[in-house]
Amino acid sequence: MITIYHNSRCSKSREGVCFLENTKEPFQVINYLENIPTKEEIKELLRKLNITPIELVRKKEPIWISDYKNKKMSDDQIIQAMIDNPKLIERPIIVNGDKAVIARPTERINEIL
C-alpha cells in the first residue's frame, strides 16, 4: 500500500494526493500534523528516503530559524525537534514498500511506483 505523509495546507502536498488519485493505485493518507510520527517511524522514513535527519527538515520554517538554526544538534535531537514541531518535516513524503521520496517536484512519485 502506498502512503502519503500529507499536510492539507501545503499545495505540493495536495498535488501529491491528486497525482496518486490519478494513478488509480490504492493509497492511504497520513496527516502527520495530527498523527505525529514516532521517533522510530521517522528513522524508518529516513532509511527509506536514504537521507539524514537534517535533510528532512524544512529549514525555512520560522520555528527552525528561531529555535534551532544556529545550534549544534545530533541526529536524535533533530528527529526530536521534528516530533516536537511536525511542521518542520519536509512534505509530501510518499512511501511505497521499502522506497520513499519527497515529492518535490510531484513527478518524483514516479520513481517509486
Side-chain angles (χ1 to χ4, degrees):
M1 166 85 62
I2 297 168
T3 301
I4 180 170
Y5 287 82
H6 176 59
N7 175 350
S8 60
R9 292 183 179 174
C10 172
S11 63
K12 292 293 182 189
S13 199
R14 291 191 305 269
E15 287 174 21
V17 169
C18 259
F19 186 97
L20 290 173
E21 287 172 344
N22 289 331
T23 68
K24 307 295 184 204
E25 294 287 329
F27 68 96
Q28 67 176 343
V29 176
I30 296 177
N31 181 337
Y32 67 89
L33 295 178
E34 294 175 7
N35 300 303
I36 301 169
T38 65
K39 184 176 188 176
E40 293 73 27
E41 289 169 329
I42 291 176
K43 285 185 174 185
E44 184 66 12
L45 285 172
L46 292 166
R47 186 188 66 75
K48 290 178 180 183
L49 289 162
N50 195 30
I51 62 174
T52 62
I54 195 66
E55 293 174 280
L56 190 57
V57 171
R58 295 176 54 81
K59 294 170 204 72
K60 293 183 181 176
E61 283 291 329
I63 189 77
W64 179 262
I65 294 166
S66 66
D67 292 7
Y68 303 105
K69 183 179 179 182
N70 296 314
K71 292 184 179 177
K72 184 165 175 62
M73 298 172 70
S74 69
D75 285 351
D76 280 342
Q77 289 171 318
I78 294 168
I79 290 169
Q80 189 60 52
M82 289 187 276
I83 292 167
D84 294 343
N85 304 281
K87 283 184 179 183
L88 292 176
I89 300 171
E90 188 60 79
R91 62 196 179 245
I93 302 169
I94 315 299
V95 179
N96 187 7
D98 207 36
K99 297 178 184 175
V101 293
I102 298 170
R104 288 177 174 268
T106 305
E107 294 74 28
R108 290 206 60 216
I109 297 170
N110 285 319
E111 296 173 21
I112 63 168
L113 294 180

